[in-house]
Amino acid sequence: QVQLVESGGGLVQPGGSLRLSCAVSGVSSINAMGWYRQVPGKGRELVASIRSGGITNYADSVRGRFTISMNNAKNMVYLQMNSLKPEDTAVYYCNAPWGLPQPWGQGTQVTVSS
């Protein structure tokens, strides 16, 4: 069974940076993965995705500030977040960017505040 474990969140000031990590187990390789975020009372929003060949896609709200990458040798996916804004505050999850999702992990909280 696929297991997703997110880490790397925390409290950061506006303009700061964080790097999130997603450990993927139960698969031999990662074909595609996305990073989602969710704030209380709203659905999950896909903010970045990556697929084989390193093809990436970003939501308009994060393009130019966030960078998604993956290391297939380690079954890891990362989200480098720069120039963070208070509106980036959310719980961040990794999961398949399309099709049926895998069981959701616990997510990692990102709080952007001064």
Side-chain angles (χ1 to χ4, degrees):
Q1 183 177 353
V2 176
Q3 187 175 17
L4 305 169
V5 179
E6 302 91 350
S7 62
L11 173 63
V12 63
Q13 292 187 342
S17 298
L18 281 174
R19 188 194 194 208
L20 306 184
S21 298
C22 170
V24 185
S25 60
V27 296
S28 56
S29 65
I30 303 170
N31 294 320
M33 189 60 69
W35 279 98
Y36 297 76
R37 65 186 181 189
Q38 186 173 28
V39 298
K42 293 189 177 181
R44 287 190 181 98
E45 171 195 18
L46 179 65
V47 297
S49 64
I50 186 168
R51 64 180 193 262
S52 298
I55 299 170
T56 59
N57 197 25
Y58 298 94
D60 289 343
S61 57
V62 307
R63 187 175 291 112
R65 300 187 298 120
F66 290 10
T67 303
I68 188 171
S69 61
M70 68 180 176
N71 184 329
N72 246 320
K74 296 183 178 181
N75 271 8
M76 295 290 295
V77 182
Y78 305 98
L79 186 67
Q80 177 67 42
M81 305 187 296
N82 299 328
S83 302
L84 282 162
K85 304 175 181 180
E87 51 263 43
D88 295 319
T89 295
V91 179
Y92 285 73
Y93 304 86
C94 57
N95 212 316
W98 49 75
L100 289 175
Q102 301 297 334
W104 292 91
Q106 82 287 351
T108 186
Q109 175 71 49
V110 172
T111 302
V112 185
S113 174
S114 55

